[in-house]
């Protein structure tokens, strides 16, 4: 029997240097529009996307600016998780990150996957 879920995990390893970060948040917002509970897990340079003002450095036309995509995602109920070692390796603390971003280990993502969440990686 195939597991079905209304959850989506979007794993983002690309930061402000890559257009894939904007694509990831566009798709994450689309998941919310489709009725999914969406969580974004940021690792590696993806952490810079939620550093205060970091997301303002990326805009990939014709997509909305990354700052708008992230703001809309959070306002619509999306969760953003940041990998603790990735945050620490950049010298960031919770105060350096956007409000609402949770520094949490991969176990949060694994728990959602065990419950049948679909996954996408960027």
């Amino acid at each position: 029997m195939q597991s079905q879920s209304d959850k989506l995990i979007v794993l983002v390893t690309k930061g402000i240097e890559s257009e894939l970060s904007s694509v990831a948040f566009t798709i994450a917002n689309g998941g919310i529009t489709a009725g999914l509970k969406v969580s974004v897990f940021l690792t590696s340079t993806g952490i810079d996307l939620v550093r205060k003002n970091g997301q303002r450095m990326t805009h990939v036309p014709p997509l909305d600016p990354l700052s708008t995509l992230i703001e809309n995602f959070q306002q619509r109920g999306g969760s953003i998780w940041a990998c603790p070692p990735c945050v620490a390796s950049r010298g960031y603390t919770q105060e350096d990150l956007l409000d609402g971003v949770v520094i949490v280990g991969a176990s949060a993502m694994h728990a959602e996957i065990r419950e049948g969440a679909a996954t996408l990686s960027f």
Side-chain angles (χ1 to χ4, degrees):
M1 177 177 237
Q2 186 174 358
S3 174
Q4 293 187 355
S5 176
D6 62 350
K7 298 177 182 179
L8 173 64
I9 303 291
V10 180
L11 175 64
V12 181
T13 62
K14 304 294 185 189
I16 57 177
E17 78 288 351
S18 175
E19 68 185 45
L20 289 177
S21 58
S22 293
V23 172
F25 273 96
T26 298
I27 289 173
N29 275 307
I32 292 174
T33 300
L36 299 173
K37 177 186 174 210
V38 183
S39 300
V40 171
F41 187 70
L42 302 171
T43 66
S44 189
T45 60
I47 297 299
D48 292 323
L49 302 176
V50 294
R51 181 180 47 82
K52 289 181 180 168
N53 297 315
Q55 70 287 350
R56 300 198 184 287
M57 301 171 77
T58 300
H59 183 198
V60 181
L63 301 175
D64 289 336
L66 183 59
S67 58
T68 301
L69 292 169
I70 292 173
E71 184 178 313
N72 289 344
F73 179 74
Q74 288 183 298
Q75 287 176 349
R76 298 173 66 207
S79 299
I80 300 177
W81 301 328
C83 162
C86 302
V87 170
S89 72
R90 286 161 177 71
Y92 301 158
T93 64
Q94 184 70 57
E95 292 75 34
D96 296 309
L97 305 180
L98 296 175
D99 291 341
V101 173
V102 178
I103 299 173
V104 65
S107 60
M109 176 178 58
H110 296 150
E112 297 291 304
I113 292 169
R114 285 184 58 98
E115 292 180 8
T119 60
L120 294 171
S121 298
F122 292 90

